[in-house]
Amino acid sequence: MIKKLFFIFFTGCFKLFLAQQSDTELDQLRTKYENFEENDVRAFPFIQPYINKAKKEKNYAKLVQGYKDGVFYTSENKDKLIYADSTVWAANLSRDKDLMIIGHIEKGVVYYYHYKKFQLALNEYLKAYEYSKNTSNEFLKYQNLYHIGVVKSYLGYYEEAAEVFTRCIVYYREKIKTIIKSHPNEIYNNKRAYLNSLHQLIICYRHLGKHKEADATIRKGLSEAGNDPDYTQEKGYFLLSKGISEYRDKRYRQALMYLNQSLPSMKNSRDFARLSVNYFYIGKSYQELKDTHESIIYFQKIDSIFNEYQFILPELRENYEILIDYSKKHKDQTQQLYYTNQLLKADSIISKDFSYLSPKIHKDYDTRTLVDEKNKLQKINYLVTVIIIVLIIWAVGLIILFAKRHRKAKEIKQKYIFLEEKFMKNQDVPKEEIIPVEEKRNLLHESKVEELLSKLQIFEDKKGFIQKGLTISKLASQLGTNSNYLSQVINEHKGVNFNKYLSQLRINYITLLLFENRQYLKYNIETLAKECGMASRQNFSDLFFEINGIRPTDFIKNRMQEMEEKE
């Protein structure tokens, strides 16, 4: 019995040792990337081995952490959602309630922060809330409570959200005081949660018109964030809030200073909603400073974000009212119609996502006015129809052009294949059939003809045709005959005149080189022309096309493509 108890004790200790050793190895692997910035994909060569090891060892706590890291470091929203789903999956396998809370919070954050799908986000937070009822982990409870508050704030329930954030601030502030000697990650997570709660409370105060409370909280946030690089993003939010506060108090130069200081953080965090708010108040500040041109640039940036994400905050609705008025003033009916359509689209999204706020928004352009304005513009701006017709004609023309180009490319490809079969499969260029001497009318003795044909063969074999400036007189002199005799032999036995004969030799020679030696594919047309004895680039290109049925540039393009496919 004692031996059995000893064996059980020893086995348990050994398993505990292996688990601790595994955790240590995983923790060491994580140190290689945990200090990277958010959305830094360089972390993934380390994250994937971390996930694989945790999955193999069924270490679900570490596996959840690995998938969370995947959400944090990937730069694509669709990938963030995939990793968030995996986080929930791993948490469910563990049957650990705390891990399940973490998984659903993570997925909720992706929905609201990266997709602005509030209902889906709230569903995840409520699932996490159900699991949190029986947990002793206060940090997770308040983390989930914070995110529920964020959704409430986005939807316009500012009083309720302010109460939530006040509770979070009290909890995290007390937590920070008691964890001074804790692990750096625990300190960082609590401090960041505290600063984010302050920022969200500022947003609530601002929308509730509690400006003194908002300003006091901004000062506190800037003081608490300081210049610590770990909280650069949070400081950026406080600078944005400070800029809005300065704008409210009509200190437009100071507003621009704080708003521009916050811009890098907004861009790096990829928080397009707050970036839009930043652009809006920069534009409004320039507008108040009578710099209309600069203000419109920033209002148009908001339109670009709206087009990309199909999301807009209710407070930014005025952006389109300003752009419509600007278009009216400049009698730009096309832009006026465009921004009118954008405002109608924005109203539709606001009514859907912000049902609580929608009836309360002050609208200089109500829906009926907008529709009437839109119809009026469509009637007046008849040029739009003309433009559409022109665009259709242009599109058809492009289709025809592309079809012709495709057909031409196909023809070029066929000619290239023909050349490849001619030069590569037979290796040597087919020689012109020599017509027997007795069948030809000539004034030369048979032995003289045979002698000249033999010399021409040597001339071809030694590549004598690549001489620059070669004429029939020069070649006749080199072969020990006269021009008339040489011309007669070439005409009767090669079937072409001297110039055609020389051109065929040169083009066949360079074509074979292009097939056999890839170095020649790198040369320009001028160099290839000189290589085969031609002085003129255009003459070379024309002769190449005449003999091969394809331009040298098209030939080289097809040859390089073929070689790349083989590799």
Side-chain angles (χ1 to χ4, degrees):
M1 182 66 179
I2 294 173
K3 288 183 178 180
K4 185 176 180 181
L5 289 173
F6 178 77
F7 176 76
I8 293 171
F9 173 76
F10 177 78
T11 303
C13 289
F14 183 68
K15 287 182 177 179
L16 179 62
F17 170 75
L18 289 178
Q20 290 175 339
Q21 187 180 33
S22 172
D23 283 354
T24 301
E25 291 175 1
L26 286 167
D27 289 340
Q28 288 175 347
L29 185 59
R30 194 164 183 268
T31 59
K32 295 180 180 180
Y33 65 84
E34 64 181 349
N35 292 321
F36 287 175
E37 294 290 329
E38 186 175 0
N39 303 318
D40 190 339
V41 295
R42 293 179 301 162
F44 279 91
F46 307 109
I47 290 176
Q48 199 55 54
Y50 181 99
I51 290 173
N52 293 340
K53 183 173 177 61
K55 189 184 295 184
K56 182 179 180 181
E57 296 172 356
K58 297 185 178 179
N59 190 336
Y60 297 118
K62 296 296 184 182
L63 185 57
V64 166
Q65 182 62 60
Y67 286 129
K68 274 188 67 180
D69 290 341
V71 174
F72 187 78
Y73 290 109
T74 187
S75 59
E76 297 293 332
N77 288 346
K78 59 182 178 61
D79 293 330
K80 287 183 184 293
L81 189 56
I82 291 171
Y83 278 108
D85 280 330
S86 297
T87 306
V88 174
W89 170 77
N92 289 337
L93 285 178
S94 73
R95 301 183 182 278
D96 185 310
K97 301 296 183 185
D98 286 357
L99 291 180
M100 292 179 184
I101 296 169
I102 291 171
H104 287 294
I105 289 176
E106 196 69 33
K107 190 171 179 180
V109 168
V110 172
Y111 274 135
Y112 100 78
Y113 190 82
H114 297 285
Y115 285 93
K116 298 299 183 230
K117 294 185 177 181
F118 304 115
Q119 191 58 55
L120 292 176
L122 190 57
N123 290 344
E124 295 300 323
Y125 297 146
L126 292 176
K127 289 176 186 176
Y129 176 76
E130 288 300 316
Y131 291 122
S132 70
K133 288 179 180 178
N134 300 317
T135 185
S136 58
N137 191 323
E138 290 293 310
F139 179 83
L140 287 179
K141 280 185 177 180
Y142 276 92
Q143 186 183 16
N144 192 50
L145 186 64
Y146 165 85
H147 288 299
I148 290 174
V150 169
V151 175
K152 285 180 175 290
S153 176
Y154 265 115
L155 295 178
Y157 299 94
Y158 299 117
E159 289 283 4
E160 296 177 26
E163 292 177 10
V164 170
F165 295 129
T166 301
R167 286 175 58 190
C168 290
I169 289 167
V170 171
Y171 168 77
Y172 291 123
R173 184 171 55 213
E174 292 303 314
K175 190 73 174 172
I176 291 168
K177 291 178 182 178
T178 61
I179 60 171
I180 301 301
K181 295 182 180 180
S182 299
H183 189 278
N185 283 347
E186 187 177 0
I187 296 172
Y188 169 75
N189 288 333
N190 281 277
K191 178 73 175 287
R192 192 179 184 201
Y194 169 69
L195 293 174
N196 282 324
S197 298
L198 284 176
H199 169 242
Q200 291 294 338
L201 184 59
I202 292 167
I203 294 173
C204 293
Y205 282 152
R206 179 159 60 85
H207 287 288
L208 291 169
K210 297 181 178 181
H211 301 309
K212 289 183 180 179
E213 292 88 340
D215 290 344
T217 311
I218 290 169
R219 288 193 294 272
K220 189 171 188 62
L222 286 170
S223 173
E224 295 278 3
N227 293 317
D228 191 330
D230 285 340
Y231 307 110
T232 301
Q233 181 178 332
E234 288 69 29
K235 183 177 181 180
Y237 288 129
F238 294 127
L239 288 170
L240 170 60
S241 299
K242 180 66 174 174
I244 296 172
S245 177
E246 292 294 320
Y247 170 82
R248 183 198 70 222
D249 293 335
K250 300 182 180 180
R251 293 190 287 268
Y252 305 119
R253 294 290 180 190
Q254 291 90 327
L256 284 171
M257 179 184 72
Y258 287 113
L259 292 168
N260 281 309
Q261 285 177 11
S262 70
L263 264 181
S265 297
M266 300 301 102
K267 292 177 180 177
N268 291 337
S269 68
R270 299 171 71 231
D271 186 346
F272 60 84
R274 291 297 142 202
L275 181 60
S276 294
V277 172
N278 202 319
Y279 286 150
F280 179 69
Y281 282 99
I282 290 176
K284 291 279 285 182
S285 297
Y286 277 121
Q287 188 180 47
E288 293 295 339
L289 293 169
K290 309 303 179 186
D291 191 343
T292 305
H293 175 74
E294 197 68 23
S295 70
I296 293 299
I297 290 173
Y298 284 92
F299 295 139
Q300 289 172 339
K301 286 177 184 284
I302 297 168
D303 180 55
S304 296
I305 293 174
F306 179 54
N307 282 332
E308 182 174 357
Y309 296 100
Q310 295 298 294
F311 174 84
I312 190 167
L313 288 168
E315 65 184 296
L316 304 184
R317 184 184 186 280
E318 184 190 350
N319 184 71
Y320 284 111
E321 296 176 354
I322 293 169
L323 288 170
I324 290 170
D325 285 339
Y326 178 79
S327 300
K328 274 186 177 180
K329 184 179 178 180
H330 289 79
K331 298 181 180 179
D332 189 337
Q333 293 178 349
T334 302
Q335 284 294 89
Q336 186 184 343
L337 179 60
Y338 167 75
Y339 290 127
T340 299
N341 280 323
Q342 290 292 86
L343 182 50
L344 285 168
K345 190 190 300 182
D347 277 346
S348 174
I349 291 172
I350 290 170
S351 298
K352 178 183 176 182
D353 289 338
F354 302 93
S355 55
Y356 174 79
L357 273 180
S358 185
K360 300 185 176 186
I361 299 173
H362 171 68
K363 300 180 179 179
D364 289 339
Y365 296 88
D366 62 24
T367 303
R368 178 172 293 180
T369 303
L370 282 171
V371 172
D372 290 344
E373 193 75 18
K374 175 183 175 182
N375 291 335
K376 179 182 176 182
L377 285 168
Q378 286 176 330
K379 290 177 182 178
I380 295 173
N381 197 7
Y382 66 92
L383 287 175
V384 172
T385 306
V386 176
I387 291 170
I388 291 173
I389 293 171
V390 171
L391 287 174
I392 292 172
I393 294 171
W394 178 71
V396 171
L398 279 179
I399 292 170
I400 294 171
L401 179 62
F402 287 141
K404 286 183 177 179
R405 287 186 176 179
H406 177 72
R407 187 165 59 250
K408 183 178 179 182
K410 188 176 180 181
E411 291 173 357
I412 288 171
K413 187 69 177 178
Q414 289 173 342
K415 290 175 180 176
Y416 169 81
I417 293 170
F418 171 77
L419 283 175
E420 186 178 38
E421 291 175 350
K422 173 182 175 182
F423 282 86
M424 298 303 289
K425 290 186 178 179
N426 298 325
Q427 290 300 315
D428 294 316
V429 182
K431 300 213 171 20
E432 296 291 334
E433 181 182 355
I434 299 176
I435 302 172
V437 176
E438 59 271 20
E439 294 180 14
K440 304 298 293 182
R441 177 187 60 81
N442 62 77
L443 303 176
L444 294 175
H445 191 273
E446 181 178 336
S447 62
K448 187 63 176 177
V449 171
E450 293 295 340
E451 180 185 348
L452 270 178
L453 287 173
S454 177
K455 288 180 178 180
L456 282 174
Q457 187 61 53
I458 294 170
F459 163 76
E460 292 176 13
D461 292 342
K462 291 186 175 182
K463 310 295 187 292
F465 48 80
I466 64 173
Q467 299 174 54
K468 293 181 179 63
L470 185 63
T471 63
I472 191 168
S473 299
K474 289 182 180 179
L475 181 57
S477 177
Q478 292 173 16
L479 299 182
T481 185
N482 63 52
S483 301
N484 290 334
Y485 290 161
L486 180 59
S487 176
Q488 183 179 334
V489 169
I490 290 173
N491 284 333
E492 293 180 357
H493 294 274
K494 301 295 182 180
V496 291
N497 62 31
F498 172 78
N499 288 333
K500 185 72 172 180
Y501 166 69
L502 189 60
S503 297
Q504 287 178 342
L505 289 174
R506 286 172 169 175
I507 296 302
N508 287 340
Y509 166 74
I510 203 67
T511 304
L512 189 59
L513 283 178
L514 288 169
F515 269 120
E516 294 181 339
N517 191 337
R518 68 166 57 201
Q519 186 64 31
Y520 283 81
L521 298 173
K522 300 176 182 178
Y523 295 164
N524 57 33
I525 302 303
E526 289 86 348
T527 304
L528 293 174
K530 291 178 182 178
E531 185 69 24
C532 65
M534 296 186 188
S536 167
R537 177 189 188 282
Q538 188 59 50
N539 188 40
F540 170 77
S541 182
D542 291 341
L543 286 173
F544 194 102
F545 179 80
E546 180 185 330
I547 293 169
N548 288 334
I550 183 173
R551 290 286 174 187
T553 50
D554 292 326
F555 175 93
I556 291 170
K557 180 181 177 182
N558 276 273
R559 181 60 178 162
M560 292 180 73
Q561 182 180 350
E562 181 186 52
M563 294 180 73
E564 286 173 0
E565 289 172 354
K566 288 180 179 179
E567 291 174 355

